[in-house]
Amino acid sequence: MLRVAVVGSGPSGVYAAQSLVQQSAVPDVRVHILDRLPCPYGLVRYGVAPDHEKIKSLQNNLRSVLEDDRIDFLGNIEVGAHGLTPARLLELYHAVVYCVGAARDRRLGIPGEDLPGSHSATDFVSWYSAHPDAVTGGFPLGGPSAVVIGVGNVAVDVARILARGADELRPTDVPEPALEALEASGVREVHMVGRRGPSGAKFTTKELRELGALPGADVLVEPADLALETAYADPEAVPAVVRRNLAVVREWAARRPTGRARRIHVRFFLRPVEVLERGGRAAGVRFERTAPDGRGGVRGTGAYEDIEAQLVLRAVGYRGVPTEGLPFDADRGIVPNAAGRVLRGGVPSPGEYVAGWIKRGPTGVIGTNRPCAKETVTSLLEDAARLAARPVAADPVAELRAAGHRPVAWPGWLAIESAEEALGRTLGRRSVKIADWQGLLTAADGAD
């Protein structure tokens, strides 16, 4: 039997496990999917916006994999500095596939970035997604204005959540404290700002159209911002996704306010240079106007614009973080690898593999993880005969329990699901997420 541990239960980890059990080269494979959280699905549970029901329904596909008899989910197992070391994992399993994503947000590196009221979009998403590590408060929603720095899908998500009415979010699984805070929000103006033009933005057309379809918000674009868009003088040179995005923002630029409760201002060619301070808190952002530099980038123009805001959220991308005991390329934010094989000193490390963002960087969509995982599993299977010859623990779960770990197995996760459904019923809602560690672990104990 080939015993494999997959660290991380998001799409890349589940796809890696699926590839392992579906292949026929090594028929006797057993996979344990380890996760630091007691809940599976990674960013599908804790990163996809609560009003994106269709994308969140991907959990059903991931569930079918995790219910395979050859795969065991083991939540509440930390790997790294405060948990299992990579060396210990190789004593328990023939091979380990790390699918730990890119957990840290990129910083702006500008003065005032750490003022109260200035946050990463990652923190905001974790809060409204009920991540148990999320900050429990501190987002100043009482003021009239918020600035979201970035023009990717995460920026669109947080802008949309800020501009939605609470009644629209009530049918979702957003946790009750976040729903109450959003219901009391005084934010009426949301500014989503990018340093490049719309042709350099990273959002998808579907996300843009959703933003423009909000029933309680006007979406507005400055015609002067679009006038700077010169990246594609030849219409035939415009990629299809860019052409669609340009069509949407040009439609918005032609709109006029209709008097809806909230307004979303989508701005381009503005680079943040400072988070402004008043009374020791964030009070807005100073931007420098940029212009195309003729080489695919932008240059500063020396003209500045201040946008007032009581809440500042940066959504400018993610970076991988090192796992103690694994090599790490700090420049690229990945574990160095060759086709998924972890490289130590430039040489493949027997039994150690990576897949997903920690392998290739934070690029692509959820579906991109499937071929990425398959490539890694192909490498692992090429090494399988040598790996299976190495002695490992007969019962890794027993070893984990003996070492003081409290793994949450699949029945524990099902108990959490049941508890969340019960919580929703008490609130007159559908299933509502439990947002704290103790609540999750207590619910999981209900399966014992």
Side-chain angles (χ1 to χ4, degrees), residues 55 257 318:
I55 301 176
Y318 297 94

Side-chain angles (χ1 to χ4, degrees), residues 19 69 73 86 135 145 181 194 204 252 257 294 313 327 346 350 377 381 389 419 439:
S19 293
D69 290 340
F73 170 73
V135 294
S145 180
T204 59
W252 290 347
L313 298 173
V377 168
L381 294 175

